[in-house]
Amino acid sequence: MSAVKKIAVLTSGGDSQGMNAAVRAVVRSALYYGIEVFGIQRGYQGLLNREIRSMDLRSVGDIIQRGGTILQSARCKEFMTAEGQQKGADILREYGIDGLVVIGGDGSYQGANKLSKLGIKTMCLPGTIDNDIAFTDFTIGFDTAVGIVVDAVNKLRDTMSSHERSSIVEVMGRHCGDIALYAGLASGAETILVPEVPFSIDDVANRMKDNFEHGKRHSIVIVAEGVGRGEDIAKGITERVDVDARVTVLGHIQRGGCPTHNDRVLGSRLGDYAVRMLMEGQSGKSCGVIKGELVMTDIDTVVNTKKAFDMELYDLALRLSK
Ligand code: ADP
Ligand code: F6P
């Protein structure tokens, strides 16, 4: 006997590659287990606007390879209010929906937490390129975003080497430096600047000077947006070192394109897991994967925990980038 008979799924906040794989998994797993499933268009805004449609097997066909989200995403101010949240819960009840899967980042988790506290059986899946959700090793979209940054840095390296320049690459990550960290390590960046680790521009400049003096033909600096603008970092460097620096802001390119197999697998596993856990009567949980294993953690705990920064990986990147 399933604890839920009718569920809904929505995507909210910044989109990420692999959200479609997760939506597909929620819909197809629900149908497989005989549960009716609805898609809510445009996140919490669509919920308040009653943009709710029935999903069938074909409604999620041909999407696993697509970036973005077929359910679309939105930011919704009204849902930040207690009245908006109550209205959302009432609408779900009006449709007879007794379980909800929210795919999104930290803000979307906060919203889901409110719905859960209003008695809606709610499960969250970490859908964000930032990898800033605690109690999961990786979020859906992070792997693809890192791949995009690495690909861009490969290209920048070619031209920076030819001209013996420095490349300052600004990447996404408002509060979390994971994109910068993983992409920096994977692309052999000389310096990685993240919000979690204080830095001095003098150290960055001295390191660069020293490396050029010891035969380096280019230098790559990856800056997470949470640290500040790439332009300001470049200015700080060129005031201290006689180097030709060029800034590249990768921006929303990092949020698009074909999801990697890792993000598709992660989205598929988590989507299916959320449905099975709802059927078992679970609610108010975030689904994640830790060391390869599916795990569930209270949304309340997740939203109140800052994801730990991997200092070991950061130190490794520094050691290897001489
Ligand atoms: P993300 O989920 O990518 O972090 P946002 O922070 O923009 O994106 O959040 C997405 C939406 O989640 C917001 O537009 C809002 O509707 C809802 N939300 C965010 N924070 C809260 C909150 N504290 N309470 C209720 N809803 C929230
Ligand atoms: O998805 C997360 C994120 O990409 C952040 O790194 C970035 O600051 C933000 O979203 C920008 O999103 P938007 O332009 O949609 O507000």
Side-chain angles (χ1 to χ4, degrees), residues 14-15 75 128-130 172-174 179 225 252 255:
D15 65 351
R75 264 75 186 227
T128 163
I129 64 165
D130 284 353
M172 278 189 167
R174 270 173 299 185
I179 294 179
E225 64 179 335
H252 290 83
R255 274 209 335 226

Side-chain angles (χ1 to χ4, degrees), residues 11-271:
T11 51
S12 164
D15 65 351
S16 69
Q17 308 93 330
M19 276 185 165
N20 279 329
V23 170
R24 171 180 177 270
V26 170
V27 170
R28 293 220 170 138
S29 289
L31 295 173
Y32 176 84
Y33 292 113
I35 294 165
E36 208 179 330
V37 57
F38 292 83
I40 301 174
Q41 214 71 22
R42 297 183 184 80
Y44 297 123
Q45 189 62 60
L47 170 61
L48 300 188
N49 293 343
R50 294 181 166 75
E51 294 181 69
I52 301 172
R53 62 179 161 116
S54 177
M55 305 290 275
D56 61 18
L57 288 174
R58 294 278 58 83
S59 62
V60 290
D62 200 24
I63 67 166
I64 195 165
Q65 78 286 9
R66 283 164 53 188
T69 158
I70 60 155
L71 292 179
Q72 299 173 279
S73 192
R75 264 75 186 227
C76 176
K77 277 210 178 114
E78 189 184 350
F79 201 74
M80 306 282 285
T81 65
E83 297 73 29
Q85 292 148 20
Q86 187 60 57
K87 183 175 164 192
D90 292 345
I91 291 172
L92 288 167
R93 289 200 178 93
E94 181 188 311
Y95 277 75
I97 292 167
D98 48 14
L100 175 68
V101 180
V102 171
I103 308 170
D106 182 63
S108 307
Y109 267 56
Q110 305 267 5
N113 204 20
K114 303 281 166 51
L115 282 176
S116 168
K117 287 179 175 164
L118 289 171
I120 302 295
K121 292 195 192 83
T122 308
M123 301 298 274
C124 281
L125 304 187
T128 163
I129 64 165
D130 284 353
N131 209 33
D132 59 349
I133 302 285
F135 298 96
T136 186
D137 287 340
F138 298 110
T139 57
I140 301 163
F142 174 68
D143 189 64
T144 309
V146 169
I148 290 168
V149 177
V150 171
D151 182 54
V153 174
N154 289 343
K155 289 168 178 146
L156 287 167
R157 250 175 194 282
D158 291 343
T159 172
M160 295 301 149
S161 296
S162 306
H163 292 268
E164 296 180 85
R165 281 174 172 157
S166 170
S167 183
I168 318 296
V169 188
E170 185 187 310
V171 302
M172 278 189 167
R174 270 173 299 185
H175 312 293
C176 179
D178 275 19
I179 294 179
L181 171 64
Y182 279 76
L185 175 57
S187 62
E190 177 179 87
T191 296
I192 301 169
L193 302 179
V194 294
E196 294 89 342
V197 184
F199 73 98
S200 113
I201 196 73
D202 287 325
D203 290 348
V204 174
N206 288 337
R207 191 176 160 81
M208 190 176 291
K209 208 168 162 196
D210 189 58
N211 283 344
F212 271 117
E213 280 167 9
H214 286 87
K216 253 196 151 178
R217 289 173 50 219
H218 61 254
S219 127
I220 311 277
V221 178
I222 311 261
V223 186
E225 64 179 335
V227 165
R229 283 164 14 104
E231 284 290 351
D232 297 332
I233 302 295
K235 190 163 175 279
I237 291 170
T238 50
E239 279 168 2
R240 290 165 175 78
V241 193
D242 183 21
V243 66
D244 194 6
R246 291 289 189 276
V247 179
T248 305
V249 181
L250 292 177
H252 290 83
I253 284 174
Q254 294 160 94
R255 274 209 335 226
C258 187
T260 60
H261 75 274
N262 282 327
D263 281 327
R264 299 183 201 192
V265 170
L266 183 62
S268 301
R269 288 183 77 194
L270 292 178

